[in-house]
């Protein structure tokens, strides 16, 4: 469905994407994962025909993007990193406008709008101006735009960037729902995002693919441990803190300072945040911070490179 052969992009002398190869089959939800500057957007812009590759070929449904960019665009729904929406337009009119641009037959336009509005959860805001929408609804409008012409392939550049945690969950659910019928490629620099949404992950770093495979296999050992950072003010000594917070399989590290910084690592478990929070609530500690740390891509890259060296 999507095939990339020796795809390369130079910006002047700078090599941003270095002869990458992959194939994505119909029905897959694939995450393109890498730190900022890895070459994700550049790759996506080449796939969607917005940038011309310096070298290499891209085929979408066996059709070359280089030879037939317009035809290929009709197969693809694309959301760039920040969707260029028209703020003064009402959602309904905007979707009608993009449906026309995407050559949806005139007599099918209102049916398609109703379908995408329902699918993307836009019913409540359909007569509001885009400029008045929250970031989450704007992103939903971007998704509705992307699927208005019923494309087989969805390509999403950092689809949850800038959203709050609730909006992130909603958009991820929506992407998974859309992925039941479509091939999806999304880019992200967050491990847990790809883990939550994608069955396969392609990991890219400095323009090179460093790993490609089943998400749970590749991320095993990185995403099955949770790390929590807690900052408190207390006169309790470290032994007492350790005893109060100790749980099965947990490792606890305490850094001294004006506030005590406690780092707890433990095997992933449902509702563990609540268990920790309840333990803290029963003390007289003053809580300054309590957050879950995102697993670092840097550690994953270190591990992947070590595996390379070992054979
Ligand atoms: P990502 O999406 O993974 O953050 P990008 O594809 O945006 O990465 O960028 C890859 C590299 O190419 C970065 O080092 C970036 O600075 C550089 N780059 C991106 N776009 C341009 C451009 N238009 N001109 C020059 N360099 C660029």
């Amino acid at each position: 469905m999507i095939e990339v052969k020796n795809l390369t992009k130079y910006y002047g002398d700078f090599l941003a994407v270095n002869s990458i190869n992959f194939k994505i089959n119909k029905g897959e939800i694939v995450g393109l994962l890498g730190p900022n500057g890895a070459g994700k957007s550049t790759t996506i812009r080449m796939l969607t025909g917005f940038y011309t590759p310096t070298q290499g070929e891209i085929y979408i449904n066996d059709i070359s993007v280089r030879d037939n960019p317009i035809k290929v665009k009709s197969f693809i729904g694309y959301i760039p990193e920040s969707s260029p929406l028209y703020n003064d337009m009402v959602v309904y009119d905007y979707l009608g406008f993009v449906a026309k641009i995407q050559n949806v037959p005139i007599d099918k336009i209102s049916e398609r709008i109703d379908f995408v509005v329902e699918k993307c959860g836009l019913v409540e805001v359909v007569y509001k101006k885009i400029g008045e929408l929250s970031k989450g609804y704007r992103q939903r409008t971007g998704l509705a735009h992307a699927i208005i012409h019923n494309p087989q392939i969805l390509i999403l550049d950092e689809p949850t960037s800038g959203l709050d945690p609730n909006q992130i969950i909603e958009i991820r659910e929506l992407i998974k729902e859309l992925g039941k019928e479509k091939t999806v490629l999304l880019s992200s620099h967050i491990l847990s995002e790809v883990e939550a949404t994608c069955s396969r992950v392609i990991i890219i770093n400095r323009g090179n693919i460093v790993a490609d495979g089943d998400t749970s296999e590749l991320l095993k050992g990185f995403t099955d441990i949770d790390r929590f950072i807690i900052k408190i003010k207390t006169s309790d000594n470290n032994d007492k803190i350790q005893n109060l917070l100790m749980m099965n399989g947990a490792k606890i590290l305490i850094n001294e300072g004006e506030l005590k910084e406690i780092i707890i690592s433990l095997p992933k478990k449902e509702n563990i945040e609540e268990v920790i929070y309840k333990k803290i609530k029963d003390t007289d500690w003053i809580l300054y911070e309590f957050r879950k740390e995102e697993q670092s891509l840097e550690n994953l890259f270190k591990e992947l490179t070590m595996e390379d060296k070992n054979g």
Side-chain angles (χ1 to χ4, degrees), residues 26 33 43 67 70 110 138 148 151 159 183 195 223 228 238 255 258 268 275 294:
K26 197 174 168 197
L33 179 69
T43 302
D67 296 343
I70 294 175
S110 76
R138 289 172 70 86
I148 193 89
T183 305
E195 191 203 17
T223 51
F228 293 94
N238 288 356
N255 294 319
E258 195 189 330
K268 203 165 247 184
V275 177
E294 288 293 349

Side-chain angles (χ1 to χ4, degrees), residues 172-185:
R172 282 180 186 167
E173 288 303 315
L174 184 54
I175 292 169
K176 271 202 255 180
E177 175 70 27
L178 295 171
K180 287 180 187 161
E181 294 154 21
K182 303 189 186 301
T183 305
V184 180
L185 176 67

Side-chain angles (χ1 to χ4, degrees), residues 9-12 14-17 32-45 51 81 157-158 187-189 204 206-207:
K9 179 75 180 176
Y10 277 93
Y11 294 112
F14 179 75
L15 179 58
V17 173
L32 186 62
L33 179 69
N36 289 326
K40 303 181 296 292
S41 295
T42 303
T43 302
I44 281 181
R45 286 182 190 147
Y51 283 179
E81 196 174 345
D157 200 354
E158 303 267 356
S187 74
S188 178
H189 65 280
I204 181 169
R206 298 200 185 118

Side-chain angles (χ1 to χ4, degrees), residues 157-286:
D157 200 354
E158 303 267 356
T160 61
S161 121
L163 301 185
D164 72 32
N166 285 331
Q167 294 166 340
I168 289 177
I169 293 170
E170 286 169 18
I171 294 292
R172 282 180 186 167
E173 288 303 315
L174 184 54
I175 292 169
K176 271 202 255 180
E177 175 70 27
L178 295 171
K180 287 180 187 161
E181 294 154 21
K182 303 189 186 301
T183 305
V184 180
L185 176 67
L186 66 86
S187 74
S188 178
H189 65 280
I190 302 166
L191 278 178
S192 57
E193 165 120 308
V194 168
E195 191 203 17
T197 326
C198 307
S199 52
R200 175 176 155 203
V201 57
I202 297 173
I203 302 178
I204 181 169
N205 192 26
R206 298 200 185 118
N208 292 288
I209 291 180
V210 293
D212 178 353
D214 183 83
T215 306
S216 49
E217 280 294 310
L218 266 178
L219 302 186
K220 202 157 54 186
F222 287 92
T223 51
D224 55 9
I225 297 278
D226 273 335
R227 263 162 66 92
F228 293 94
I229 314 288
I230 299 163
K231 288 188 185 160
I232 55 166
K233 198 181 256 182
T234 177
S235 53
D236 287 350
N237 65 29
N238 288 356
D239 283 346
K240 189 166 177 195
I241 296 173
Q242 287 262 4
N243 286 337
L244 267 159
L245 290 175
M246 194 32 96
M247 278 168 284
N248 251 351
K251 276 192 205 139
I252 300 179
L253 195 108
I254 301 175
N255 294 319
E256 297 295 339
E258 195 189 330
L259 298 175
K260 284 189 193 268
E261 182 187 60
I262 307 163
I263 302 170
I264 308 183
S265 324
L266 75 182
K268 203 165 247 184
K269 219 164 126 189
E270 203 147 311
N271 299 332
I272 193 74
E273 287 91 336
E274 289 177 25
V275 177
I276 299 173
Y277 182 70
K278 279 186 188 136
K279 283 175 183 283
I280 298 172
K281 212 168 138 242
D282 289 340
T283 67
D284 59 1
W285 301 344
I286 300 170

Side-chain angles (χ1 to χ4, degrees), residues 89-126:
M89 265 178 130
V90 166
V91 173
Y92 192 93
D93 297 342
Y94 173 73
L95 294 173
F97 166 70
V98 294
K100 276 186 211 138
I101 292 179
Q102 295 285 15
N103 291 322
V104 176
I106 295 286
D107 59 336
K108 291 275 183 301
I109 288 183
S110 76
E111 196 182 300
R112 270 315 286 174
I113 296 178
D114 290 348
F115 177 81
V116 299
V117 162
E118 174 70 36
K119 191 87 177 172
C120 298
L122 288 168
V123 176
E124 286 167 39
V125 297
V126 73

